[in-house]
Amino acid sequence: MKIMTFNVRVNVPVDGENAWPNRIGKVAQVINQENPIIIGMQELNKKMINDIKDEIPNYQWIGKPRRKDDEYSPILFRTDRIELLDTGTFWLSETPFVEGSSSWDSAYPRICTWGEFSLKEDPHHKFRIFNTHLDHESEDARTNGVRVIWEMISQLNEKEELPVMLMGDFNDYPNSDSIQFWENEAQLINAFSIMTTEEHLRNTFHDFKGGYEGEPIDYIFTSPNMKLVEAEIITTKINELYPSDHYPLTLVVDLPN
């Protein structure tokens, strides 16, 4: 199955031709083109979620805002392919279940939304998806935030151990502590590990300018019991404009038997 992480850039009118109203259809076109079963999105408010949902009606969504009337990190999923079994949102802070909480000099409250799913065609195949957006300013918030996420993954696995996929905008480069944590301590598999060396060096945030120079800040990780088949940075441009200031990242995986 194919999954996608996609930071779609919050609606900022001063973006001009790149403002959200001009990009809704382009975001939907990329999603329909790639046809993922699950999408982890970042930087959407409630109206933006409804805007995109109108364009892709075969997807449902789950999530909570990081604080009232603010951004979500929602998970969208194909209702014809998978069934939602459980879901939750927690805060990347010293008090993860206090809504709107933040710690470690985080510029904003930061959240992680998760969902537990099963395949409709084969219900014994269950898995969990986690979607997050780490802080863009505080390194402390990023390095502590990933540990909050890992603690939640571990707690849920104590109840029932399931294959895990973690995705999002981590606002950090491959050699940073927050990214190395997943590979070295949590021992998850980075989707970039199956790409070529050249692709490893490509950026995922391009500020509506395109190009490849730089390093990624958007990632997908999986538990080691999953087979990673194909990973790709999607650089689609539509009518001379990019759907977002980030490239989406896709990963095709096989669930364990």
Side-chain angles (χ1 to χ4, degrees):
M1 65 180 188
K2 181 185 283 189
I3 61 177
M4 171 188 281
T5 182
F6 199 174
N7 182 325
V8 297
R9 171 71 170 170
V10 71
N11 185 16
V12 182
V14 295
D15 282 346
E17 66 179 359
N18 291 316
W20 174 247
N22 300 322
R23 296 188 289 106
I24 299 166
K26 295 176 177 62
V27 169
Q29 187 172 330
V30 168
I31 291 171
N32 287 326
Q33 166 191 303
E34 296 301 321
N35 196 28
I37 288 182
I38 287 180
I39 317 159
M41 285 187 160
Q42 301 88 39
E43 292 200 24
L44 294 92
N45 58 33
K46 186 68 171 291
K47 183 182 185 308
M48 293 173 68
I49 296 174
N50 289 332
D51 287 341
I52 197 65
K53 180 73 172 60
D54 288 343
E55 298 283 331
I56 50 170
N58 54 333
Y59 288 83
Q60 188 53 269
W61 68 275
I62 53 174
K64 288 184 176 182
R66 62 190 185 186
R67 57 190 174 190
K68 187 178 180 182
D69 300 323
D70 204 344
E71 294 178 15
Y72 292 66
S73 293
I75 295 172
L76 287 76
F77 60 97
R78 286 272 303 271
T79 54
D80 59 328
R81 299 288 304 279
I82 58 177
E83 183 173 353
L84 177 67
L85 304 176
D86 199 2
T87 182
T89 296
F90 55 95
W91 276 255
L92 308 187
S93 74
E94 294 173 326
T95 52
F97 301 109
V98 176
E99 298 193 9
S101 61
S102 63
S103 304
W104 311 299
D105 296 319
S106 184
Y108 296 100
R110 296 293 181 174
I111 55 176
C112 182
T113 290
W114 63 273
E116 183 177 312
F117 299 92
S118 65
L119 296 178
K120 285 196 169 180
E121 63 182 21
D122 195 355
H124 89 276
H125 270 120
K126 298 195 292 185
F127 55 92
R128 293 191 187 100
I129 296 280
F130 293 77
N131 178 43
T132 194
H133 186 184
L134 299 185
D135 199 63
H136 65 299
E137 290 188 1
S138 170
E139 183 179 359
D140 228 13
R142 293 192 294 273
T143 55
N144 283 288
V146 296
R147 285 164 171 77
V148 174
I149 296 170
W150 180 237
E151 178 65 24
M152 180 59 64
I153 291 173
S154 301
Q155 286 180 17
L156 289 168
N157 273 340
E158 285 178 8
K159 296 179 182 178
E160 182 180 9
E161 187 161 356
L162 295 176
V164 167
M165 288 161 273
L166 166 66
M167 63 179 76
D169 176 357
F170 286 73
N171 270 314
D172 239 338
Y173 297 126
N175 288 329
S176 65
D177 289 345
S178 63
I179 301 306
Q180 290 296 305
F181 170 84
W182 294 111
E183 299 179 22
N184 297 330
E185 294 189 47
Q187 296 189 326
L188 299 189
I189 309 302
N190 189 336
F192 284 102
S193 67
I194 64 168
M195 290 185 177
T196 64
T197 302
E198 180 186 72
E199 288 171 318
H200 278 190
L201 300 176
R202 292 182 176 180
N203 65 1
T204 56
F205 172 73
H206 57 86
D207 197 25
F208 294 113
K209 297 172 184 174
Y212 301 109
E213 187 176 348
E215 294 181 287
I217 63 171
D218 302 89
Y219 301 87
I220 301 175
F221 299 92
T222 77
S223 49
N225 56 350
M226 303 182 72
K227 180 182 178 183
L228 281 64
V229 178
E230 182 181 22
E232 185 178 4
I233 299 171
I234 308 300
T235 59
T236 302
K237 197 174 185 181
I238 301 167
N239 298 328
E240 301 305 312
L241 294 175
Y242 287 101
S244 178
D245 58 350
H246 287 242
Y247 294 130
L249 172 66
T250 62
L251 174 66
V252 178
V253 296
D254 283 342
L255 293 171
N257 293 323

PDB file of all heavy atoms in Angstrom, residues 38 62 75 84-88 113-117 127-131:
ATOM      1  N   ILE A  38      -3.296   6.315   2.632  1.00  0.00           N
ATOM      2  CA  ILE A  38      -3.259   7.190   3.810  1.00  0.00           C
ATOM      3  C   ILE A  38      -2.364   8.382   3.519  1.00  0.00           C
ATOM      4  O   ILE A  38      -1.310   8.250   2.882  1.00  0.00           O
ATOM      5  CB  ILE A  38      -2.743   6.425   5.047  1.00  0.00           C
ATOM      6  CG1 ILE A  38      -3.814   5.452   5.541  1.00  0.00           C
ATOM      7  CG2 ILE A  38      -2.348   7.374   6.176  1.00  0.00           C
ATOM      8  CD1 ILE A  38      -3.419   4.669   6.743  1.00  0.00           C
ATOM      9  N   ILE A  62      -9.075  12.282  10.452  1.00  0.00           N
ATOM     10  CA  ILE A  62      -9.090  12.269  11.909  1.00  0.00           C
ATOM     11  C   ILE A  62      -8.065  13.285  12.411  1.00  0.00           C
ATOM     12  O   ILE A  62      -7.091  13.586  11.728  1.00  0.00           O
ATOM     13  CB  ILE A  62      -8.767  10.868  12.477  1.00  0.00           C
ATOM     14  CG1 ILE A  62      -7.457  10.323  11.877  1.00  0.00           C
ATOM     15  CG2 ILE A  62      -9.923   9.903  12.255  1.00  0.00           C
ATOM     16  CD1 ILE A  62      -6.992   9.013  12.477  1.00  0.00           C
ATOM     17  N   ILE A  75      -4.812  12.979   9.695  1.00  0.00           N
ATOM     18  CA  ILE A  75      -4.572  11.791   8.887  1.00  0.00           C
ATOM     19  C   ILE A  75      -5.800  11.590   8.015  1.00  0.00           C
ATOM     20  O   ILE A  75      -6.922  11.516   8.519  1.00  0.00           O
ATOM     21  CB  ILE A  75      -4.331  10.554   9.761  1.00  0.00           C
ATOM     22  CG1 ILE A  75      -3.040  10.723  10.584  1.00  0.00           C
ATOM     23  CG2 ILE A  75      -4.251   9.290   8.895  1.00  0.00           C
ATOM     24  CD1 ILE A  75      -2.831   9.637  11.622  1.00  0.00           C
ATOM     25  N   LEU A  84     -11.079   2.451  10.200  1.00  0.00           N
ATOM     26  CA  LEU A  84     -10.519   3.062  11.403  1.00  0.00           C
ATOM     27  C   LEU A  84     -10.986   2.297  12.630  1.00  0.00           C
ATOM     28  O   LEU A  84     -12.183   2.087  12.833  1.00  0.00           O
ATOM     29  CB  LEU A  84     -10.970   4.525  11.491  1.00  0.00           C
ATOM     30  CG  LEU A  84     -10.532   5.286  12.741  1.00  0.00           C
ATOM     31  CD1 LEU A  84      -9.022   5.475  12.764  1.00  0.00           C
ATOM     32  CD2 LEU A  84     -11.245   6.640  12.803  1.00  0.00           C
ATOM     33  N   LEU A  85     -10.031   1.889  13.480  1.00  0.00           N
ATOM     34  CA  LEU A  85     -10.349   1.139  14.697  1.00  0.00           C
ATOM     35  C   LEU A  85     -10.211   1.993  15.951  1.00  0.00           C
ATOM     36  O   LEU A  85     -10.943   1.794  16.917  1.00  0.00           O
ATOM     37  CB  LEU A  85      -9.424  -0.080  14.812  1.00  0.00           C
ATOM     38  CG  LEU A  85      -9.416  -1.050  13.622  1.00  0.00           C
ATOM     39  CD1 LEU A  85      -8.394  -2.138  13.849  1.00  0.00           C
ATOM     40  CD2 LEU A  85     -10.806  -1.639  13.399  1.00  0.00           C
ATOM     41  N   ASP A  86      -9.263   2.934  15.941  1.00  0.00           N
ATOM     42  CA  ASP A  86      -9.024   3.769  17.120  1.00  0.00           C
ATOM     43  C   ASP A  86      -8.208   4.978  16.687  1.00  0.00           C
ATOM     44  O   ASP A  86      -7.531   4.945  15.651  1.00  0.00           O
ATOM     45  CB  ASP A  86      -8.269   2.974  18.190  1.00  0.00           C
ATOM     46  CG  ASP A  86      -8.387   3.597  19.582  1.00  0.00           C
ATOM     47  OD1 ASP A  86      -9.083   4.626  19.719  1.00  0.00           O
ATOM     48  OD2 ASP A  86      -7.792   3.044  20.519  1.00  0.00           O
ATOM     49  N   THR A  87      -8.263   6.048  17.465  1.00  0.00           N
ATOM     50  CA  THR A  87      -7.502   7.248  17.121  1.00  0.00           C
ATOM     51  C   THR A  87      -7.275   8.109  18.352  1.00  0.00           C
ATOM     52  O   THR A  87      -7.973   7.957  19.367  1.00  0.00           O
ATOM     53  CB  THR A  87      -8.227   8.069  16.031  1.00  0.00           C
ATOM     54  OG1 THR A  87      -7.420   9.206  15.684  1.00  0.00           O
ATOM     55  CG2 THR A  87      -9.584   8.563  16.519  1.00  0.00           C
ATOM     56  N   GLY A  88      -6.305   9.002  18.261  1.00  0.00           N
ATOM     57  CA  GLY A  88      -6.035   9.937  19.345  1.00  0.00           C
ATOM     58  C   GLY A  88      -5.087  11.027  18.881  1.00  0.00           C
ATOM     59  O   GLY A  88      -4.432  10.898  17.844  1.00  0.00           O
ATOM     60  N   THR A 113      -0.988  13.143  15.792  1.00  0.00           N
ATOM     61  CA  THR A 113      -2.256  12.424  15.648  1.00  0.00           C
ATOM     62  C   THR A 113      -1.964  11.006  15.189  1.00  0.00           C
ATOM     63  O   THR A 113      -1.091  10.792  14.342  1.00  0.00           O
ATOM     64  CB  THR A 113      -3.174  13.149  14.649  1.00  0.00           C
ATOM     65  OG1 THR A 113      -3.616  14.379  15.230  1.00  0.00           O
ATOM     66  CG2 THR A 113      -4.398  12.306  14.293  1.00  0.00           C
ATOM     67  N   TRP A 114      -2.659  10.038  15.780  1.00  0.00           N
ATOM     68  CA  TRP A 114      -2.448   8.647  15.374  1.00  0.00           C
ATOM     69  C   TRP A 114      -3.778   7.965  15.080  1.00  0.00           C
ATOM     70  O   TRP A 114      -4.837   8.388  15.552  1.00  0.00           O
ATOM     71  CB  TRP A 114      -1.682   7.864  16.450  1.00  0.00           C
ATOM     72  CG  TRP A 114      -2.393   7.742  17.778  1.00  0.00           C
ATOM     73  CD1 TRP A 114      -2.351   8.627  18.821  1.00  0.00           C
ATOM     74  CD2 TRP A 114      -3.272   6.688  18.195  1.00  0.00           C
ATOM     75  NE1 TRP A 114      -3.129   8.189  19.853  1.00  0.00           N
ATOM     76  CE2 TRP A 114      -3.712   7.002  19.500  1.00  0.00           C
ATOM     77  CE3 TRP A 114      -3.731   5.520  17.591  1.00  0.00           C
ATOM     78  CZ2 TRP A 114      -4.591   6.174  20.213  1.00  0.00           C
ATOM     79  CZ3 TRP A 114      -4.599   4.693  18.292  1.00  0.00           C
ATOM     80  CH2 TRP A 114      -5.015   5.027  19.593  1.00  0.00           C
ATOM     81  N   GLY A 115      -3.694   6.931  14.274  1.00  0.00           N
ATOM     82  CA  GLY A 115      -4.859   6.111  13.975  1.00  0.00           C
ATOM     83  C   GLY A 115      -4.465   4.652  13.897  1.00  0.00           C
ATOM     84  O   GLY A 115      -3.364   4.317  13.452  1.00  0.00           O
ATOM     85  N   GLU A 116      -5.357   3.800  14.375  1.00  0.00           N
ATOM     86  CA  GLU A 116      -5.181   2.348  14.229  1.00  0.00           C
ATOM     87  C   GLU A 116      -6.182   1.881  13.177  1.00  0.00           C
ATOM     88  O   GLU A 116      -7.370   2.215  13.252  1.00  0.00           O
ATOM     89  CB  GLU A 116      -5.424   1.646  15.555  1.00  0.00           C
ATOM     90  CG  GLU A 116      -5.188   0.147  15.516  1.00  0.00           C
ATOM     91  CD  GLU A 116      -5.363  -0.494  16.882  1.00  0.00           C
ATOM     92  OE1 GLU A 116      -4.786   0.041  17.864  1.00  0.00           O
ATOM     93  OE2 GLU A 116      -6.080  -1.519  16.964  1.00  0.00           O
ATOM     94  N   PHE A 117      -5.691   1.113  12.204  1.00  0.00           N
ATOM     95  CA  PHE A 117      -6.500   0.744  11.055  1.00  0.00           C
ATOM     96  C   PHE A 117      -6.402  -0.751  10.767  1.00  0.00           C
ATOM     97  O   PHE A 117      -5.466  -1.424  11.201  1.00  0.00           O
ATOM     98  CB  PHE A 117      -6.027   1.500   9.805  1.00  0.00           C
ATOM     99  CG  PHE A 117      -6.113   2.992   9.898  1.00  0.00           C
ATOM    100  CD1 PHE A 117      -5.028   3.742  10.354  1.00  0.00           C
ATOM    101  CD2 PHE A 117      -7.263   3.666   9.522  1.00  0.00           C
ATOM    102  CE1 PHE A 117      -5.096   5.117  10.433  1.00  0.00           C
ATOM    103  CE2 PHE A 117      -7.348   5.045   9.590  1.00  0.00           C
ATOM    104  CZ  PHE A 117      -6.265   5.778  10.050  1.00  0.00           C
ATOM    105  N   PHE A 127      -2.571  -2.044  11.639  1.00  0.00           N
ATOM    106  CA  PHE A 127      -1.362  -1.225  11.744  1.00  0.00           C
ATOM    107  C   PHE A 127      -1.729   0.121  12.356  1.00  0.00           C
ATOM    108  O   PHE A 127      -2.901   0.499  12.433  1.00  0.00           O
ATOM    109  CB  PHE A 127      -0.728  -1.024  10.357  1.00  0.00           C
ATOM    110  CG  PHE A 127      -1.665  -0.450   9.323  1.00  0.00           C
ATOM    111  CD1 PHE A 127      -1.743   0.921   9.121  1.00  0.00           C
ATOM    112  CD2 PHE A 127      -2.475  -1.282   8.558  1.00  0.00           C
ATOM    113  CE1 PHE A 127      -2.604   1.457   8.181  1.00  0.00           C
ATOM    114  CE2 PHE A 127      -3.344  -0.760   7.605  1.00  0.00           C
ATOM    115  CZ  PHE A 127      -3.412   0.612   7.425  1.00  0.00           C
ATOM    116  N   ARG A 128      -0.693   0.856  12.788  1.00  0.00           N
ATOM    117  CA  ARG A 128      -0.899   2.202  13.333  1.00  0.00           C
ATOM    118  C   ARG A 128      -0.088   3.213  12.533  1.00  0.00           C
ATOM    119  O   ARG A 128       1.041   2.940  12.137  1.00  0.00           O
ATOM    120  CB  ARG A 128      -0.484   2.271  14.808  1.00  0.00           C
ATOM    121  CG  ARG A 128      -1.365   1.449  15.729  1.00  0.00           C
ATOM    122  CD  ARG A 128      -1.095   1.740  17.198  1.00  0.00           C
ATOM    123  NE  ARG A 128      -1.842   0.812  18.041  1.00  0.00           N
ATOM    124  CZ  ARG A 128      -1.315  -0.265  18.606  1.00  0.00           C
ATOM    125  NH1 ARG A 128      -0.023  -0.523  18.443  1.00  0.00           N
ATOM    126  NH2 ARG A 128      -2.048  -1.066  19.342  1.00  0.00           N
ATOM    127  N   ILE A 129      -0.700   4.376  12.340  1.00  0.00           N
ATOM    128  CA  ILE A 129      -0.075   5.499  11.648  1.00  0.00           C
ATOM    129  C   ILE A 129       0.033   6.666  12.623  1.00  0.00           C
ATOM    130  O   ILE A 129      -0.927   6.987  13.333  1.00  0.00           O
ATOM    131  CB  ILE A 129      -0.925   5.936  10.436  1.00  0.00           C
ATOM    132  CG1 ILE A 129      -1.002   4.824   9.388  1.00  0.00           C
ATOM    133  CG2 ILE A 129      -0.390   7.235   9.848  1.00  0.00           C
ATOM    134  CD1 ILE A 129       0.200   4.723   8.491  1.00  0.00           C
ATOM    135  N   PHE A 130       1.185   7.316  12.648  1.00  0.00           N
ATOM    136  CA  PHE A 130       1.409   8.507  13.466  1.00  0.00           C
ATOM    137  C   PHE A 130       1.829   9.651  12.533  1.00  0.00           C
ATOM    138  O   PHE A 130       2.690   9.456  11.665  1.00  0.00           O
ATOM    139  CB  PHE A 130       2.503   8.260  14.504  1.00  0.00           C
ATOM    140  CG  PHE A 130       2.117   7.261  15.560  1.00  0.00           C
ATOM    141  CD1 PHE A 130       2.138   5.900  15.277  1.00  0.00           C
ATOM    142  CD2 PHE A 130       1.726   7.676  16.822  1.00  0.00           C
ATOM    143  CE1 PHE A 130       1.769   4.966  16.237  1.00  0.00           C
ATOM    144  CE2 PHE A 130       1.365   6.745  17.796  1.00  0.00           C
ATOM    145  CZ  PHE A 130       1.385   5.397  17.497  1.00  0.00           C
ATOM    146  N   ASN A 131       1.232  10.815  12.727  1.00  0.00           N
ATOM    147  CA  ASN A 131       1.531  11.974  11.886  1.00  0.00           C
ATOM    148  C   ASN A 131       1.815  13.186  12.765  1.00  0.00           C
ATOM    149  O   ASN A 131       1.039  13.497  13.676  1.00  0.00           O
ATOM    150  CB  ASN A 131       0.337  12.277  10.973  1.00  0.00           C
ATOM    151  CG  ASN A 131       0.573  13.512  10.114  1.00  0.00           C
ATOM    152  OD1 ASN A 131       1.653  13.708   9.564  1.00  0.00           O
ATOM    153  ND2 ASN A 131      -0.443  14.354   9.994  1.00  0.00           N
TER     154      ASN A 131
END
